[in-house]
Amino acid sequence: MKRRAFTARNVLMSSAAMAFALFAGAVYAEEKPADHTDGPAAAYEPSMTTLGQIKVEIPGRKEGDPVMTQEEFQKGTQIYFERCAGCHGVLRKGATGKPLTTDITRENGYEYLQSFITYGSPAGMPNWGTSGDMSEADVDLMARYLLLEPPAPPEFGMPEMLASWKVIVKPEDRPKEKMNDWDIDNLFSTTLRDAGQVALIDGATYEIKTVIDTGYAVHISRISASGRYLFVIGRDAKIVMIDLWMEVPAPVAEIKIGMEARSIETSKFEGWEDKIAIAGAYWPPQYVIMDGDTLEPKKIVSTRGNIYDEQVYHPEPRVAAILASHYKPEFIVNVKETGKIIMVDYTDLKNLKTVEIEAERFLHDGGLDGSKRYFITAANARGKLVVIDTKESKLAAITETGGQTPHPGRGANFTHPVHGPVWATSHLGDESVALIGTDPEGHPDQAWKIVDSFPALGGGSLFIKTHPNSDHLYTDATLNPDAETSGSVAVFTISKMGAADVDPELVTLPIAEWAGIPEGQPRVVQPEFNKDGTEVWFSVWNAKDKESAIVVVDDKTLELKKVIKDPRLVTPTGKFNVFNTRGDVY
């Protein structure tokens, strides 16, 4: 496989580098570290946005503590959750970033903290002060804040869940058959991030059929195995269950399963379709198993425990991606900080059986291979892919991608002309696309190995996508600091891909330019195909007070087909085609 040095413009500081942030040995702050990047990787680190809104009290004051008012402490907590907790953890005990517990911060002292927060470091700590993201007053506040004990957000258990749980329309009162003439399979559930809504858009007419209020900053939409129910979950951990059979689809149940969350899934194994739902929380660190018809919470399982390799306790291992197995009545649960993948058997919740697989830190997103037997997921801060055999419920392989911070979304499956069946990931931290072989029977020498790596537009990619009926592979560069790059997508023709020593030809589509948005810096995110694989849709994501759009491209010709604009399209991000999402087609 070829190797290349990426240009300085395209190489971005990966979020993995943030593992060394703030207290990486004896690194000293610089005015502007030579290898520091202000862009994608830092912007991507998952913030704890809803935790920033909780009211907190200064934990037991001690003699010698820095002087800080309650108002300052509240502001410091909000800044920490929204800027820092994604790397360093809610309790400051470390995640992809180093711990910031008071034994460490007090040993280093106020001036050291102020300098690091201001200037950052080459190891990945953002230069919050010199970049303008924090004022001098904010830097001073945060340096003092880190010298105090951190507040612990409240837990969220069964009493809180039951208090939030609502069955809006009982199962017996719901339609017995489909009551609308919509082509449900070709609907796109489109996240309107800052509006706290999803828009259901017709994939044939491009009409916004309805807009539904959901939770804050919807993260994903998932479809039940029957295709009837749409589940969305926001960062505020609110799940909304929508019945697509209703004359006008609307919520029929809702629940909050925590205070911060990212994942939702429903049972897909034969005989268990639509019966069970599961959601995973960032805070508290836990997953929740629910009734698939009503969202009634049945079982809460904490993920707190020991890191797989160091065998030391971690207080907040967040639940990232969750997928449903097609081979067993199991859910596949990624536990980020402990590096474990939990196979959860949902057939007997009273006597819950789980298989704990030691994988790699820090598990994030991923998807199934073309056969739907193997789950391939990114341990993104470690630059690795983990492969799980869902038929055997065991680890199949771990391999390095050769790039910085793989971020595949669900990845992309296709048959390479030379290497056979492969699964693709793009990267947040550099411009590379990596292909891993996925055919252990037909191509055993290449199975679970990186068979090719080639450049796309630049770092900052969040999603890569193709379709069984398409000859094209698309990847975005959403978080790239260059406006032209973040407004474009790279397209590769699969049938023209060759040996690993020759880069495939890249075509750039100027999606944001095609959208014709005059103000702001719209970023293009998440290619998503219609059900037939003839069109690919892109969100043109702008500020919430500016115009956004969805651009539809003809997959055969790569020409603009439609620009969808509407005042209701506020910050559109993820789009989930019902047919493709339900069937794990990607």
Side-chain angles (χ1 to χ4, degrees):
M1 191 186 76
K2 59 184 177 297
R3 301 286 180 184
R4 64 175 58 79
F6 298 113
T7 63
R9 184 180 73 85
N10 287 325
V11 175
L12 304 173
M13 185 66 66
S14 71
S15 56
M18 292 190 178
F20 305 101
L22 212 57
F23 299 107
V27 175
Y28 293 93
E30 301 175 13
E31 183 173 352
K32 183 68 173 177
D35 296 326
H36 180 77
T37 301
D38 300 330
Y44 164 73
E45 276 301 318
S47 60
M48 311 295 275
T49 47
T50 56
L51 284 184
Q53 308 306 312
I54 67 170
K55 301 300 181 184
V56 296
E57 298 289 336
I58 301 177
R61 294 177 183 265
K62 300 176 183 176
E63 186 176 348
D65 281 354
V67 176
M68 179 168 279
T69 67
Q70 178 59 44
E71 183 180 5
E72 287 178 319
F73 190 78
Q74 182 69 48
K75 182 178 181 181
T77 299
Q78 180 174 348
I79 292 173
Y80 181 81
F81 285 150
E82 293 180 356
R83 300 278 193 178
C84 317
C87 272
H88 300 287
V90 170
L91 303 178
R92 305 208 316 240
K93 293 183 180 293
T96 51
K98 289 290 186 180
L100 297 175
T101 48
T102 53
D103 59 321
I104 298 172
T105 60
R106 292 187 178 192
E107 180 179 350
N108 284 280
Y110 169 84
E111 291 184 358
Y112 187 89
L113 292 170
Q114 183 189 45
S115 177
F116 253 105
I117 296 169
T118 300
Y119 300 113
S121 82
M125 173 67 181
N127 54 323
W128 295 114
T130 57
S131 68
D133 288 311
M134 288 188 191
S135 66
E136 288 188 21
D138 285 343
V139 171
D140 164 71
L141 175 69
M142 294 309 296
R144 287 183 287 129
Y145 176 82
L146 292 176
L147 294 169
L148 294 173
E149 293 294 334
E155 298 293 320
F156 203 96
M158 188 60 77
E160 290 80 10
M161 287 184 205
L162 289 174
S164 74
W165 174 48
K166 297 178 184 177
V167 178
I168 301 164
V169 182
K170 295 179 181 178
E172 59 266 29
D173 296 331
R174 296 172 196 168
K176 302 300 185 287
E177 59 184 16
K178 186 168 168 283
M179 301 298 291
N180 57 61
D181 61 358
W182 301 7
D183 181 359
I184 289 177
D185 269 355
N186 206 24
L187 281 178
F188 286 78
S189 176
T190 303
T191 298
L192 307 179
R193 189 185 186 280
D194 293 340
Q197 299 172 322
V198 294
L200 300 185
I201 306 178
D202 189 297
T205 67
Y206 315 116
E207 174 190 358
I208 298 177
K209 305 291 283 187
T210 189
V211 174
I212 299 170
D213 291 332
T214 55
Y216 169 76
V218 168
H219 193 64
I220 59 171
S221 297
R222 290 292 180 258
I223 313 297
S224 68
S226 69
R228 174 173 182 170
Y229 292 113
L230 167 68
F231 297 80
V232 297
I233 188 166
R235 291 192 175 206
D236 58 357
K238 181 180 178 181
I239 302 168
V240 177
M241 178 181 178
I242 299 162
D243 187 352
L244 298 177
W245 278 15
M246 297 171 72
E247 187 173 355
V248 178
V252 293
E254 64 179 47
I255 192 173
K256 270 178 65 71
I257 56 93
M259 303 183 73
E260 283 271 349
R262 299 295 188 273
S263 52
I264 177 79
E265 182 62 290
T266 64
S267 52
K268 293 182 178 177
F269 187 68
E270 184 177 359
W272 287 88
E273 298 91 340
D274 295 22
K275 293 185 182 299
I276 302 289
I278 184 173
Y282 270 24
W283 187 271
Q286 60 193 22
Y287 59 88
V288 181
I289 301 174
M290 298 160 284
D291 180 88
D293 280 332
T294 65
L295 295 181
E296 179 185 1
K298 295 293 189 180
K299 196 171 194 70
I300 304 169
V301 182
S302 173
T303 54
R304 292 181 171 111
N306 290 332
I307 298 168
Y308 87 95
D309 52 356
E310 297 174 2
Q311 294 292 294
V312 296
Y313 179 76
H314 198 292
E316 51 173 299
R318 296 171 286 183
V319 177
I322 300 178
L323 271 78
S325 172
H326 293 262
Y327 280 81
K328 289 183 177 181
E330 290 183 338
F331 292 119
I332 309 157
V333 179
N334 274 358
V335 185
K336 187 186 289 280
E337 276 72 27
T338 53
K340 297 175 182 177
I341 295 175
I342 312 298
M343 311 296 288
V344 181
D345 183 328
Y346 48 74
T347 59
D348 184 356
L349 301 186
K350 283 290 185 182
N351 302 285
L352 190 70
K353 296 178 182 178
T354 63
V355 175
E356 182 179 283
I357 301 173
E358 294 184 355
E360 180 59 280
R361 304 171 75 189
F362 296 83
L363 297 163
H364 192 63
D365 53 353
L368 299 172
D369 79 307
S371 73
K372 297 182 175 60
R373 173 172 175 173
Y374 297 94
F375 173 54
I376 308 169
T377 185
N380 59 8
R382 293 279 173 90
K384 295 180 181 179
L385 296 177
V386 175
V387 183
I388 300 297
D389 183 342
T390 67
K391 184 177 180 180
E392 301 295 335
S393 299
K394 67 179 183 181
L395 179 70
I398 299 176
T399 184
E400 294 187 6
T401 69
Q404 297 185 58
T405 321
H407 193 285
R410 288 198 150 189
N413 289 297
F414 61 94
T415 300
H416 190 282
V418 176
H419 305 296
V422 298
W423 180 92
T425 182
S426 53
H427 290 78
L428 176 69
D430 63 41
E431 64 184 354
S432 66
V433 171
L435 309 182
I436 184 172
T438 60
D439 185 15
E441 295 184 4
H443 297 76
D445 293 341
Q446 300 184 98
W448 319 132
K449 298 176 183 177
I450 301 301
V451 297
D452 199 6
S453 177
F454 47 84
L457 290 182
S461 178
L462 294 180
F463 297 100
I464 190 167
K465 192 63 69 75
T466 189
H467 187 279
N469 296 333
S470 173
D471 191 33
H472 292 122
L473 176 69
Y474 299 83
T475 180
D476 59 27
T478 310
L479 296 181
N480 195 283
D482 177 70
E484 182 179 353
T485 302
S486 66
S488 302
V489 296
V491 188
F492 302 92
T493 300
I494 293 169
S495 60
K496 294 182 180 179
M497 292 181 178
D501 58 350
V502 179
D503 290 335
E505 182 181 351
L506 178 156
V507 174
T508 302
L509 303 184
I511 301 296
E513 179 183 321
W514 286 351
I517 295 174
E519 295 183 315
Q521 184 184 335
R523 297 176 180 271
V524 176
V525 63
Q526 205 232 11
E528 178 74 346
F529 278 85
N530 63 351
K531 70 174 182 179
D532 296 326
T534 57
E535 296 175 353
V536 60
W537 294 33
F538 300 91
S539 294
V540 184
W541 170 25
N542 209 351
K544 64 181 179 181
D545 60 344
K546 292 183 170 56
E547 186 179 45
S548 292
I550 292 172
V551 169
V552 182
V553 173
D554 186 303
D555 178 62
K556 298 297 183 186
T557 65
L558 300 183
E559 294 177 350
L560 174 64
K561 191 166 185 179
K562 178 71 175 180
V563 177
I564 304 173
K565 290 185 177 180
D566 189 290
R568 293 172 291 176
L569 286 179
V570 178
T571 57
T573 53
K575 303 162 301 305
F576 302 88
N577 176 269
V578 168
F579 178 82
N580 294 332
T581 304
R582 172 167 59 91
D584 290 304
V585 178
Y586 35 78

